[in-house]
Amino acid sequence: MSPNNHNILKLCENKKVTLAPMAGITDGSFCKKYKNLFGIVSIGAYDLDEATQIASEKIVKRGRKEFIYNLDKFDDLIKKEINEAKKSNALVSVNIRFKDIEKSISNIKTIGKYADIIELNCHCRQPEITELGIGQNLLKKENNIILKNFLEKINDLNLNIPVFLKIRANFIPVEELIDNLNNVRHYFNGLHVDCFNPGKNYPDLDYLKEITYNFEDKIIIGNNSINSIKDAEEMLKYADFISVARCVLKGNIKWIYDLNIKY
């Protein structure tokens, strides 16, 4: 495990729960409301180039939430959001999307100056994003060279902060996903795994178990349908952390405080 990963585990101390990114919701103002609750708070997803921002505008027009802003003022925006999120006393992870890595380098450098973690979005399934060949489509074998190019370019920036991938289970078979991630494993420090279980109202822990077994040197965050200490502890058998989203929106957070005390 890299020094960066040891540092994350140490800084989060007893806090095993992280806040997952929710498009159009998890900005700095949202995160700072939950002081001393989470080990990591994730803001975003933030678009870093014009193609993804146009896609987000289309998504908003059909009724979903996204972050819409002037890309020319991104430096000031992201600095403000990260500083606000840090008032939660958690590490701050920034979830990012882009189509053109070259047009996104400057924005990635800015994030690297202020954030604790960069999280590349390989998870979004909104058609406006996947039609660009990104989001969860970055997990496909035919797009592995694109994912590798993205990660190589980020690595070349020498940002000195960990890079995580937010990924979706059961988009492709776990064996295929493991092969594809092995091709780029040198370039990321952690995996944030949405244990999506099609047609079920509970997470696919078998999929997570396979990911964890094959990437023991990485930080693993498990996500999906966690609403209680029991749910959390089941997933923590195969993950370093778990992340939550909907239960926070519903105000179901007392169990997180209790879990922190337990650990």
Side-chain angles (χ1 to χ4, degrees), residues 175-188:
E175 297 82 7
E176 181 181 346
L177 178 61
I178 290 167
D179 285 344
N180 294 344
L181 292 178
N182 269 326
N183 291 332
V184 296
R185 71 182 300 146
H186 176 70
Y187 302 105
F188 65 86

PDB file of all heavy atoms in Angstrom, residues 175-188:
ATOM      1  N   GLU A 175     -14.775 -10.197 -13.886  1.00  0.00           N
ATOM      2  CA  GLU A 175     -13.493 -10.652 -14.425  1.00  0.00           C
ATOM      3  C   GLU A 175     -12.953  -9.669 -15.463  1.00  0.00           C
ATOM      4  O   GLU A 175     -11.756  -9.373 -15.501  1.00  0.00           O
ATOM      5  CB  GLU A 175     -13.633 -12.045 -15.054  1.00  0.00           C
ATOM      6  CG  GLU A 175     -14.016 -13.150 -14.091  1.00  0.00           C
ATOM      7  CD  GLU A 175     -15.513 -13.201 -13.834  1.00  0.00           C
ATOM      8  OE1 GLU A 175     -16.271 -12.463 -14.511  1.00  0.00           O
ATOM      9  OE2 GLU A 175     -15.913 -13.975 -12.942  1.00  0.00           O
ATOM     10  N   GLU A 176     -13.853  -9.164 -16.305  1.00  0.00           N
ATOM     11  CA  GLU A 176     -13.460  -8.185 -17.321  1.00  0.00           C
ATOM     12  C   GLU A 176     -13.019  -6.876 -16.674  1.00  0.00           C
ATOM     13  O   GLU A 176     -12.022  -6.263 -17.085  1.00  0.00           O
ATOM     14  CB  GLU A 176     -14.622  -7.934 -18.287  1.00  0.00           C
ATOM     15  CG  GLU A 176     -14.302  -6.955 -19.396  1.00  0.00           C
ATOM     16  CD  GLU A 176     -15.490  -6.705 -20.322  1.00  0.00           C
ATOM     17  OE1 GLU A 176     -16.475  -7.473 -20.268  1.00  0.00           O
ATOM     18  OE2 GLU A 176     -15.429  -5.729 -21.099  1.00  0.00           O
ATOM     19  N   LEU A 177     -13.750  -6.462 -15.643  1.00  0.00           N
ATOM     20  CA  LEU A 177     -13.395  -5.221 -14.956  1.00  0.00           C
ATOM     21  C   LEU A 177     -12.016  -5.339 -14.300  1.00  0.00           C
ATOM     22  O   LEU A 177     -11.192  -4.423 -14.390  1.00  0.00           O
ATOM     23  CB  LEU A 177     -14.449  -4.877 -13.902  1.00  0.00           C
ATOM     24  CG  LEU A 177     -14.173  -3.615 -13.081  1.00  0.00           C
ATOM     25  CD1 LEU A 177     -14.095  -2.388 -13.973  1.00  0.00           C
ATOM     26  CD2 LEU A 177     -15.229  -3.418 -12.002  1.00  0.00           C
ATOM     27  N   ILE A 178     -11.767  -6.468 -13.659  1.00  0.00           N
ATOM     28  CA  ILE A 178     -10.473  -6.681 -13.013  1.00  0.00           C
ATOM     29  C   ILE A 178      -9.345  -6.624 -14.034  1.00  0.00           C
ATOM     30  O   ILE A 178      -8.304  -5.979 -13.805  1.00  0.00           O
ATOM     31  CB  ILE A 178     -10.472  -8.017 -12.243  1.00  0.00           C
ATOM     32  CG1 ILE A 178     -11.382  -7.906 -11.007  1.00  0.00           C
ATOM     33  CG2 ILE A 178      -9.048  -8.409 -11.826  1.00  0.00           C
ATOM     34  CD1 ILE A 178     -11.699  -9.231 -10.360  1.00  0.00           C
ATOM     35  N   ASP A 179      -9.535  -7.263 -15.179  1.00  0.00           N
ATOM     36  CA  ASP A 179      -8.517  -7.219 -16.234  1.00  0.00           C
ATOM     37  C   ASP A 179      -8.263  -5.790 -16.697  1.00  0.00           C
ATOM     38  O   ASP A 179      -7.106  -5.365 -16.865  1.00  0.00           O
ATOM     39  CB  ASP A 179      -8.950  -8.072 -17.433  1.00  0.00           C
ATOM     40  CG  ASP A 179      -8.798  -9.562 -17.175  1.00  0.00           C
ATOM     41  OD1 ASP A 179      -8.098  -9.934 -16.212  1.00  0.00           O
ATOM     42  OD2 ASP A 179      -9.397 -10.347 -17.943  1.00  0.00           O
ATOM     43  N   ASN A 180      -9.333  -5.057 -16.912  1.00  0.00           N
ATOM     44  CA  ASN A 180      -9.193  -3.681 -17.398  1.00  0.00           C
ATOM     45  C   ASN A 180      -8.506  -2.781 -16.363  1.00  0.00           C
ATOM     46  O   ASN A 180      -7.669  -1.937 -16.716  1.00  0.00           O
ATOM     47  CB  ASN A 180     -10.561  -3.114 -17.770  1.00  0.00           C
ATOM     48  CG  ASN A 180     -11.183  -3.828 -18.956  1.00  0.00           C
ATOM     49  OD1 ASN A 180     -10.502  -4.538 -19.693  1.00  0.00           O
ATOM     50  ND2 ASN A 180     -12.479  -3.651 -19.155  1.00  0.00           N
ATOM     51  N   LEU A 181      -8.867  -2.957 -15.093  1.00  0.00           N
ATOM     52  CA  LEU A 181      -8.250  -2.144 -14.044  1.00  0.00           C
ATOM     53  C   LEU A 181      -6.796  -2.536 -13.811  1.00  0.00           C
ATOM     54  O   LEU A 181      -5.974  -1.691 -13.446  1.00  0.00           O
ATOM     55  CB  LEU A 181      -9.050  -2.267 -12.745  1.00  0.00           C
ATOM     56  CG  LEU A 181     -10.451  -1.645 -12.755  1.00  0.00           C
ATOM     57  CD1 LEU A 181     -11.148  -1.882 -11.414  1.00  0.00           C
ATOM     58  CD2 LEU A 181     -10.405  -0.147 -13.061  1.00  0.00           C
ATOM     59  N   ASN A 182      -6.475  -3.803 -14.025  1.00  0.00           N
ATOM     60  CA  ASN A 182      -5.075  -4.230 -13.900  1.00  0.00           C
ATOM     61  C   ASN A 182      -4.178  -3.510 -14.897  1.00  0.00           C
ATOM     62  O   ASN A 182      -2.995  -3.270 -14.623  1.00  0.00           O
ATOM     63  CB  ASN A 182      -4.961  -5.748 -14.091  1.00  0.00           C
ATOM     64  CG  ASN A 182      -5.071  -6.499 -12.777  1.00  0.00           C
ATOM     65  OD1 ASN A 182      -4.633  -6.014 -11.739  1.00  0.00           O
ATOM     66  ND2 ASN A 182      -5.654  -7.680 -12.821  1.00  0.00           N
ATOM     67  N   ASN A 183      -4.728  -3.153 -16.037  1.00  0.00           N
ATOM     68  CA  ASN A 183      -3.955  -2.436 -17.055  1.00  0.00           C
ATOM     69  C   ASN A 183      -3.571  -1.026 -16.621  1.00  0.00           C
ATOM     70  O   ASN A 183      -2.657  -0.424 -17.198  1.00  0.00           O
ATOM     71  CB  ASN A 183      -4.745  -2.363 -18.365  1.00  0.00           C
ATOM     72  CG  ASN A 183      -4.891  -3.713 -19.037  1.00  0.00           C
ATOM     73  OD1 ASN A 183      -4.042  -4.592 -18.861  1.00  0.00           O
ATOM     74  ND2 ASN A 183      -5.955  -3.883 -19.801  1.00  0.00           N
ATOM     75  N   VAL A 184      -4.278  -0.501 -15.622  1.00  0.00           N
ATOM     76  CA  VAL A 184      -4.015   0.877 -15.183  1.00  0.00           C
ATOM     77  C   VAL A 184      -3.735   0.958 -13.686  1.00  0.00           C
ATOM     78  O   VAL A 184      -3.721   2.053 -13.114  1.00  0.00           O
ATOM     79  CB  VAL A 184      -5.205   1.813 -15.545  1.00  0.00           C
ATOM     80  CG1 VAL A 184      -5.374   1.905 -17.050  1.00  0.00           C
ATOM     81  CG2 VAL A 184      -6.502   1.343 -14.897  1.00  0.00           C
ATOM     82  N   ARG A 185      -3.518  -0.176 -13.039  1.00  0.00           N
ATOM     83  CA  ARG A 185      -3.443  -0.186 -11.574  1.00  0.00           C
ATOM     84  C   ARG A 185      -2.288   0.663 -11.035  1.00  0.00           C
ATOM     85  O   ARG A 185      -2.324   1.117  -9.878  1.00  0.00           O
ATOM     86  CB  ARG A 185      -3.371  -1.612 -11.039  1.00  0.00           C
ATOM     87  CG  ARG A 185      -2.084  -2.355 -11.273  1.00  0.00           C
ATOM     88  CD  ARG A 185      -2.194  -3.779 -10.718  1.00  0.00           C
ATOM     89  NE  ARG A 185      -2.465  -3.772  -9.298  1.00  0.00           N
ATOM     90  CZ  ARG A 185      -3.217  -4.700  -8.674  1.00  0.00           C
ATOM     91  NH1 ARG A 185      -3.757  -5.705  -9.353  1.00  0.00           N
ATOM     92  NH2 ARG A 185      -3.400  -4.635  -7.376  1.00  0.00           N
ATOM     93  N   HIS A 186      -1.276   0.897 -11.840  1.00  0.00           N
ATOM     94  CA  HIS A 186      -0.142   1.723 -11.417  1.00  0.00           C
ATOM     95  C   HIS A 186      -0.548   3.173 -11.185  1.00  0.00           C
ATOM     96  O   HIS A 186       0.147   3.910 -10.461  1.00  0.00           O
ATOM     97  CB  HIS A 186       0.963   1.663 -12.478  1.00  0.00           C
ATOM     98  CG  HIS A 186       2.130   2.555 -12.196  1.00  0.00           C
ATOM     99  ND1 HIS A 186       3.025   2.325 -11.164  1.00  0.00           N
ATOM    100  CD2 HIS A 186       2.549   3.702 -12.804  1.00  0.00           C
ATOM    101  CE1 HIS A 186       3.933   3.294 -11.151  1.00  0.00           C
ATOM    102  NE2 HIS A 186       3.679   4.133 -12.132  1.00  0.00           N
ATOM    103  N   TYR A 187      -1.677   3.583 -11.750  1.00  0.00           N
ATOM    104  CA  TYR A 187      -2.030   5.000 -11.777  1.00  0.00           C
ATOM    105  C   TYR A 187      -3.111   5.411 -10.788  1.00  0.00           C
ATOM    106  O   TYR A 187      -3.486   6.578 -10.755  1.00  0.00           O
ATOM    107  CB  TYR A 187      -2.471   5.394 -13.191  1.00  0.00           C
ATOM    108  CG  TYR A 187      -1.419   5.131 -14.239  1.00  0.00           C
ATOM    109  CD1 TYR A 187      -1.539   4.060 -15.115  1.00  0.00           C
ATOM    110  CD2 TYR A 187      -0.295   5.945 -14.335  1.00  0.00           C
ATOM    111  CE1 TYR A 187      -0.572   3.813 -16.074  1.00  0.00           C
ATOM    112  CE2 TYR A 187       0.676   5.706 -15.293  1.00  0.00           C
ATOM    113  CZ  TYR A 187       0.535   4.633 -16.160  1.00  0.00           C
ATOM    114  OH  TYR A 187       1.505   4.386 -17.110  1.00  0.00           O
ATOM    115  N   PHE A 188      -3.642   4.488 -10.014  1.00  0.00           N
ATOM    116  CA  PHE A 188      -4.662   4.890  -9.043  1.00  0.00           C
ATOM    117  C   PHE A 188      -4.375   4.290  -7.678  1.00  0.00           C
ATOM    118  O   PHE A 188      -3.738   3.247  -7.551  1.00  0.00           O
ATOM    119  CB  PHE A 188      -6.078   4.535  -9.517  1.00  0.00           C
ATOM    120  CG  PHE A 188      -6.369   3.054  -9.639  1.00  0.00           C
ATOM    121  CD1 PHE A 188      -6.794   2.329  -8.532  1.00  0.00           C
ATOM    122  CD2 PHE A 188      -6.237   2.400 -10.854  1.00  0.00           C
ATOM    123  CE1 PHE A 188      -7.071   0.971  -8.640  1.00  0.00           C
ATOM    124  CE2 PHE A 188      -6.519   1.043 -10.971  1.00  0.00           C
ATOM    125  CZ  PHE A 188      -6.931   0.324  -9.858  1.00  0.00           C
TER     126      PHE A 188
END
